[in-house]
Amino acid sequence: MTDVTRILSAIEQGDEKATDELLPLVYEQLRVLAAKKLSKEPAGQTLQATALVHEAYVRLLGKGAQDWDNRGHFFAAAAEAMRRILVENARRKQSQKRGGGYERVPLDELTISITGPSEDIIAVSEALDKLAVEDQAVAELVKLHYFSGLTLDQVAQLRGIGRRTAAKHLSYARAWLRREIARGR
């Protein structure tokens, strides 16, 4: 059992001191992942990696005891929290600008990274929610890979599947999301 898994188990049991032990163990990894995601945001981004990590951490642990099975489950929850924060930030900006003359940027064939305006983040998020209804496991894999910034090998290990299976799922998800976003245009 890793230290993170042990601490998550203690938090689940209601040990409030364990919460203080968790942040130093996962903070740097979460900050690097957040910085990686934010580097793909358009210029003028007001959200910083540190703020994104802190907000995600507060959301994860601020609700009291959680039921995390292991380290992978915790990072999946962190990926989801970061995704929601980025989407909320994009929606807030969109409501302020009401379009702002931006053009949609099609998804790159190799990645689902978002380099365009906030409307693209929202479109990807909505399509990802639809994918989760159809195939929750594939949607979780996408969140881990693209919103947490984990490598394909790390995602495969966390999900307990082979690298080739993870690659096939991501390929399927890219095509599915690309089609879904095109329908919404």
Side-chain angles (χ1 to χ4, degrees):
M1 182 180 289
T2 66
D3 286 340
V4 173
T5 303
R6 181 186 52 77
I7 292 170
L8 291 172
S9 179
I11 290 171
E12 184 180 334
Q13 300 300 322
D15 183 357
E16 292 181 21
K17 291 182 181 179
T19 304
D20 296 335
E21 295 176 39
L22 180 63
L23 186 58
L25 290 176
V26 298
Y27 179 79
E28 190 57 33
Q29 187 175 5
L30 289 175
R31 195 189 67 69
V32 168
L33 297 174
K36 192 175 182 181
K37 286 296 143 199
L38 289 172
S39 70
K40 296 177 183 175
E41 289 289 308
Q45 175 60 258
T46 57
L47 190 61
Q48 299 294 321
T50 303
L52 180 58
V53 169
H54 284 264
E55 179 65 25
Y57 192 79
V58 166
R59 287 186 184 193
L60 288 171
L61 297 174
K63 299 175 186 172
Q66 298 292 322
D67 188 21
W68 289 301
D69 297 331
N70 55 37
R71 181 179 182 270
H73 189 201
F74 173 78
F75 280 101
E80 178 64 17
M82 286 185 194
R83 177 180 80 98
R84 289 181 182 189
I85 293 164
L86 288 171
V87 168
E88 288 168 8
N89 191 47
R91 283 191 173 133
R92 182 183 49 78
K93 283 184 177 183
Q94 184 182 31
S95 69
Q96 290 173 349
K97 295 179 182 178
R98 296 284 182 216
Y102 287 118
E103 287 183 33
R104 290 184 181 242
V105 177
L107 293 175
D108 186 324
E109 292 212 352
L110 300 175
T111 65
I112 302 177
S113 65
I114 297 162
T115 57
S118 59
E119 293 89 5
D120 290 342
I121 294 171
I122 295 168
V124 169
S125 179
E126 290 171 352
L128 192 54
D129 289 341
K130 290 178 184 176
L131 176 61
V133 170
E134 187 172 305
D135 193 334
Q136 181 68 32
V138 172
E140 289 298 322
L141 196 113
V142 170
K143 291 174 191 176
L144 283 170
H145 187 61
Y146 292 105
F147 286 95
S148 282
L150 298 176
T151 66
L152 191 58
D153 291 327
Q154 291 170 326
V155 170
Q157 181 183 15
L158 287 174
R159 301 304 292 173
I161 58 176
R163 185 184 195 287
R164 290 182 71 181
T165 301
K168 287 178 185 178
H169 288 318
L170 285 175
S171 178
Y172 162 74
R174 277 194 296 270
W176 195 97
L177 291 169
R178 195 175 299 117
R179 186 190 74 217
E180 189 63 32
I181 290 169
R183 283 182 185 166
R185 289 187 176 171

